[in-house]
Amino acid sequence: MSEADAATESNVAERMGFKDGDLIQEFGYDEDVDFDLREDLEDLVGGELLTEDDHDVVDGVILWWRADDGDLVDALVDSLTTLDDGGVVWVLTPKSGRSGYVPPADIEEAAPTAGLHVTTSPGVCQDWAATRLVSRRKK
């Protein structure tokens, strides 16, 4: 990997809003996840991603989600149990044309039911689309 490519890769993790010392919990890990993105995130925060079984309060959640993974609302609600106030949930889904593709409308429909709001959908890796979700503001 060239130096320019490495800089671009680290910027992806930074663009997701994470920083050194953040705790990130990962849901939906399987052999098809983007291992380069995971490594970039771990390098940026200075530690391993936490598993679904960890109970630490976290700054962010990475949820790898595929069309046949079940109920997205349930998964989103589960991902919130250890998320700190102001934390972010990133839903990563296979891009269009790939096995397990999830239409963006499915995420937009599930998010409010789980108490979340869709904010952005930046490009973060070649095979996975990313959608950033945050808690809905209380009035």
Side-chain angles (χ1 to χ4, degrees), residues 34-48:
D34 188 295
F35 291 101
D36 290 336
L37 177 59
R38 290 183 80 256
E39 184 177 311
D40 292 340
L41 289 167
E42 290 176 337
D43 288 347
L44 179 66
V45 301
E48 292 184 4

Side-chain angles (χ1 to χ4, degrees), residues 95-138:
K95 287 186 176 178
S96 180
R98 291 174 173 78
S99 176
Y101 170 70
V102 176
D106 289 1
I107 299 168
E108 291 168 9
E109 183 179 312
T113 305
L116 296 166
H117 174 72
V118 175
T119 61
T120 59
S121 299
V124 295
C125 53
Q126 182 175 343
D127 295 323
W128 292 82
T131 304
R132 182 178 183 267
L133 306 176
V134 295
S135 294
R136 298 176 67 82
R137 296 182 192 256
K138 295 179 173 84

Side-chain angles (χ1 to χ4, degrees), residues 13-129:
E14 289 174 5
R15 276 194 321 235
M16 292 178 79
F18 297 115
K19 61 190 181 311
D20 185 35
D22 280 352
L23 291 178
I24 304 172
Q25 188 168 24
E26 179 179 43
F27 292 84
Y29 175 87
D30 206 342
E31 62 190 32
D32 63 345
V33 302
D34 188 295
F35 291 101
D36 290 336
L37 177 59
R38 290 183 80 256
E39 184 177 311
D40 292 340
L41 289 167
E42 290 176 337
D43 288 347
L44 179 66
V45 301
E48 292 184 4
L49 301 180
L50 301 179
T51 69
E52 295 179 24
D53 297 326
D54 286 310
H55 298 290
D56 296 16
V57 174
V58 298
D59 303 293
V61 168
I62 301 294
L63 172 61
W64 303 96
W65 191 257
R66 301 143 198 96
D68 58 355
D69 281 350
D71 186 284
L72 180 54
V73 173
D74 288 345
L76 290 172
V77 169
D78 289 347
S79 75
L80 298 175
T81 58
T82 58
L83 187 65
D84 197 8
D85 289 342
V88 175
V89 176
W90 283 95
V91 179
L92 292 132
T93 58
K95 287 186 176 178
S96 180
R98 291 174 173 78
S99 176
Y101 170 70
V102 176
D106 289 1
I107 299 168
E108 291 168 9
E109 183 179 312
T113 305
L116 296 166
H117 174 72
V118 175
T119 61
T120 59
S121 299
V124 295
C125 53
Q126 182 175 343
D127 295 323
W128 292 82

